[in-house]
């Protein structure tokens, strides 16, 4: 099996980052909390961002601003 390392400082692979993302880590900071990737030299942070990509996390539905504000009296 050919492992693609994302974080050489801590030996974290793409598969590990993807697993943490599947488990709910949506940002590089959350990935760092899960496995330390990105916390030493920082050269892997952009790669982690790319792996997380768009749509990796559940999105919140946008609410129209007027729906959030109470009616003026």
């Amino acid at each position: 099996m050919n492992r693609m390392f994302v974080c050489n400082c801590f030996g974290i692979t793409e598969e590990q980052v993807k697993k943490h993302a599947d488990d709910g880590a949506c940002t590089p900071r959350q990935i760092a909390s899960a496995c330390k990737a990105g916390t030493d030299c920082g050269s892997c942070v952009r790669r982690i961002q790319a792996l997380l990509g768009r749509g990796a996390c559940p999105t919140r539905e946008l609410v129209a601003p007027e729906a959030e504000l109470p009616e003026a009296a």
Side-chain angles (χ1 to χ4, degrees):
M1 179 179 201
N2 186 12
R3 289 186 180 179
M4 179 64 71
F5 285 94
V6 173
C7 176
N8 290 321
C9 296
F10 293 104
I12 306 300
T13 64
E14 282 187 4
E15 292 84 24
Q16 289 171 297
V17 171
K18 290 175 184 178
K19 171 77 170 90
H20 290 303
D22 289 345
D23 291 343
C26 297
T27 65
R29 181 170 287 177
Q30 291 172 336
I31 295 291
S33 292
C35 64
K36 294 187 178 182
T39 62
D40 193 22
C41 78
S43 67
C44 60
V45 174
R46 286 183 188 240
R47 181 69 183 136
I48 292 168
Q49 288 172 325
L51 287 171
L52 294 174
R54 291 184 156 219
C57 297
T59 56
R60 295 181 189 156
E61 290 193 28
L62 295 176
V63 178
E66 57 273 0
E68 296 177 6
L69 300 174
E71 292 282 328

